[in-house]
Amino acid sequence: MNHSASRNRSRKRRSRRKNNTPLLMGVGVVVVLAIIIAIVLHFKGSSGTSDIEDTTTEAVDRSRVQHNAVIDLNSIINSSSGIEDDNRINVKGMNAEEITEAVKAKYKWELALINKDARVGDVVQPQVDINQTTEAATLGDPENPDAEAAGSTEETEPSDITVSDRIELKDMIAECIPALVDEIFEEDNKSATVSTVESTEEEETKSKKKSKDKETESDSETEPPADEVVYTFTLGDLDDEIAKAAKYASDMWYVEPLGGSIGSYDSTNDKFIMENSRDGFKPDRDKLASDIKAAIASKDYSAEIAVTGSSISAESSDNISGQYKTLASFTTKTTSNAVRNKNIALACAKLNGTIVRPGEEFSFNKTVGQRTKEAGFGEAAAYNNGEVVQEVGGGVCQVSTTLYNAVLQAGLKITGRQSHTFKPSYVTPGMDATVSWGGPDFRFANLPNKPEYSYKSSYAIGIRASYSNQTVTVSVYGRPILKDGYTFSLSSTQTKTIEKVRKAITPDSGKTPTNGSEGSAWETRLVIKKDGELVSNNVDHNALYSGHIEYYYEQDPNESSVAETESSSGESTGESASESPDGPGSGTNNSGVIGPSVPSGQNNETTAETQAPTTADSSNVSDAPGNGNGGGVISSDGPGSLGGHSDSDGPGD
């Protein structure tokens, strides 16, 4: 019994010891929490509440410079007092506009170019860079005929220059101020990303030094650093701007020698008139650029830089007039459509007698002008979203194409041309040049296309253009450009056939089944010969032409076949298919019928010069095949002219 009682007491003692453990743990937790609270209260008491208030301080106005920023202008401006600090500007607290005005107040920009002998009031055109490349883009994408036309962006015309005797150069210092302002505010933006509450280590250090005055404490924390940040103003690379200024002055003050070139055109007698003798003047563009750069480097922004150059001696009119001749001529055949031919004749009349000075760039759109009824142009058949409509100006592209070939054969530099969307019939594909008002333009410069095969001297050239009896002829008149024995011509070869697009229609769709046609890709080479022997045959450009969509009935096989439709159309027009032209300027007469289809997104207007819907009435479709010669090109597998392009003037070109 005693042992049993002893064991029971022992168990009770052990039991009590086990139950004390949770109690001790609870006491420990309370102690730890008490310590944490004490630590928190300690730091809170030592730092106060101002740190929390600082985090909610009102946002700083970043539209004005916050840091101690100083702009040093000594690298670009001479100090009038000889004290460099005079050209240092502290811009802290300023906005961008105020900084700009503060910098501008430190200098006076009056840099100018002068020419006391300038022919004030004359109007000249900019000279073309001889290294400028030819634009040979193609409208439309034969790989995707329904896609929006490529290369149909609006062209810009050469800008005329009215001659003055002084050119004020733009303020190149002011041009550099925005970059500096951006740099200064970027520094502010970096500072804005830093919290107003310092790191714990910095807070502990600062807290020992803080005053009990909360306002003073807050001010001391937000006060910007005393050290200033200095920004040295530099002009950077001004070579491009200086080169532009020198070129503009050179273009303005270039004077062509007279007596060595044709000067005007006598429309009454249809002849070019030689000008009276007068020496010319060629400004030294490189010297101008060098003088501008030197003035800026010496900080002389009020300098007046006089143009220098060389005199160009005029030659005797008697000696020169005999050297003028027809350099090249090109001819194409038109249709028998009266309205279209009227438009072509009018474009030729506006083009005839045009004189292009050495280095000047010719623009077809600028010379012929906008094709409107007020200007005398009539409506000719054209495609608009796949439908035959009457549009003003149909036919003028045949004139630009004829001019293109004459100019190229003369050896002049082509600066802008585009192919049509659809394959033309009046010239070999790849040798065409489409135009439209506000769109593609044909341009060339009175500069040699290939200097290595051309004479160094450059003289004015004249253009003759005429229409008669369904024939367009354009000639270039002037002194020889190509050296003796050299000839230039174009040669085009088809390199690819693009599969035609097929679309199903229903009887109630309003469309008529058509065979459609394939598109094609062409490679055009510039053929250079010397005394008949081949010198060069390099690729000049490539052209892509869209095919026409084939519309077919997906259901109801009892509907009339395409062949029956074509037969019906042929009876109404009285025409039959013929082959495409044999070559450039051949003017082979062609006619045929096609379906009223056109890729979408191509200025909404496409020539119907070589095209007509299978059900077209010849009395209403003035420019479509079946109304005369030169109307179309027929594919081997059925109707489908590959002529035309998008032309907002009224295609038919």
Side-chain angles (χ1 to χ4, degrees), residues 332-338 340-346 348-349 398-399 465-473:
T332 58
K333 292 291 186 179
T334 73
T335 71
S336 62
N337 179 269
R340 184 175 185 279
N341 289 337
K342 170 191 172 183
N343 294 338
I344 290 174
L346 181 56
C348 286
Q398 184 160 350
V399 181
S466 63
Y467 166 80
S468 177
N469 193 28
Q470 296 180 218
T471 301
V472 181
T473 300

Side-chain angles (χ1 to χ4, degrees), residues 128-160:
V128 175
D129 184 352
I130 197 168
N131 296 316
Q132 183 174 336
T133 57
T134 298
E135 294 178 16
T138 299
L139 292 176
D141 180 5
E143 300 284 1
N144 184 14
D146 289 331
E148 185 154 348
S152 60
T153 54
E154 184 173 347
E155 298 283 353
T156 56
E157 298 176 354
S159 300
D160 292 338

Side-chain angles (χ1 to χ4, degrees), residues 73-192:
L73 300 174
N74 285 297
S75 62
I76 62 167
I77 300 175
N78 293 320
S79 175
S80 58
S81 64
I83 302 175
E84 291 191 351
D85 284 349
D86 286 352
N87 287 336
R88 289 165 62 91
I89 308 171
N90 192 311
V91 296
K92 178 184 175 184
M94 294 185 184
N95 59 28
E97 183 178 352
E98 290 168 345
I99 294 174
T100 301
E101 293 305 317
V103 174
K104 286 185 175 182
K106 288 290 185 179
Y107 69 93
K108 190 174 184 180
W109 183 276
E110 295 178 335
L111 198 57
L113 306 178
I114 58 172
N115 181 6
K116 295 180 179 179
D117 298 322
R119 299 173 60 84
V120 178
D122 281 3
V123 177
V124 298
Q125 288 187 354
Q127 303 292 295
V128 175
D129 184 352
I130 197 168
N131 296 316
Q132 183 174 336
T133 57
T134 298
E135 294 178 16
T138 299
L139 292 176
D141 180 5
E143 300 284 1
N144 184 14
D146 289 331
E148 185 154 348
S152 60
T153 54
E154 184 173 347
E155 298 283 353
T156 56
E157 298 176 354
S159 300
D160 292 338
I161 299 174
T162 301
V163 178
S164 65
D165 57 3
R166 182 184 180 89
I167 300 174
E168 302 283 351
L169 297 184
K170 73 176 181 179
D171 188 342
M172 297 184 190
I173 295 178
E175 294 287 317
C176 298
I177 295 177
L180 179 63
V181 171
D182 289 343
E183 182 182 354
I184 293 172
F185 277 100
E186 280 177 10
E187 184 64 28
D188 267 359
N189 290 335
K190 291 178 183 177
S191 300

Side-chain angles (χ1 to χ4, degrees), residues 5 36 45 72 103 274 276 352 411 418 482 495 522 545 602:
I36 292 174
D72 187 346
V103 174
M274 301 301 296
N276 295 326
N352 189 49
Q418 290 184 351
L482 297 175
T495 59
W522 293 71
Y545 297 96
Q602 303 201 4

Side-chain angles (χ1 to χ4, degrees), residues 26-105:
V27 172
V29 170
V30 171
V31 172
V32 171
L33 288 174
I35 293 172
I36 292 174
I37 292 171
I39 292 173
V40 172
L41 291 175
H42 169 74
F43 282 106
K44 183 175 181 182
S46 63
S47 61
T49 59
S50 60
D51 290 333
I52 298 176
E53 292 171 356
D54 286 347
T55 62
T56 58
T57 300
E58 185 178 352
V60 177
D61 180 8
R62 293 293 165 185
S63 64
R64 294 184 177 275
V65 179
Q66 300 300 311
H67 66 291
N68 197 14
V70 174
I71 299 177
D72 187 346
L73 300 174
N74 285 297
S75 62
I76 62 167
I77 300 175
N78 293 320
S79 175
S80 58
S81 64
I83 302 175
E84 291 191 351
D85 284 349
D86 286 352
N87 287 336
R88 289 165 62 91
I89 308 171
N90 192 311
V91 296
K92 178 184 175 184
M94 294 185 184
N95 59 28
E97 183 178 352
E98 290 168 345
I99 294 174
T100 301
E101 293 305 317
V103 174
K104 286 185 175 182

Side-chain angles (χ1 to χ4, degrees), residues 494-499 518-521:
Q494 183 171 341
T495 59
K496 186 178 181 181
T497 297
I498 310 299
E499 185 177 353
E518 297 173 329
S520 58

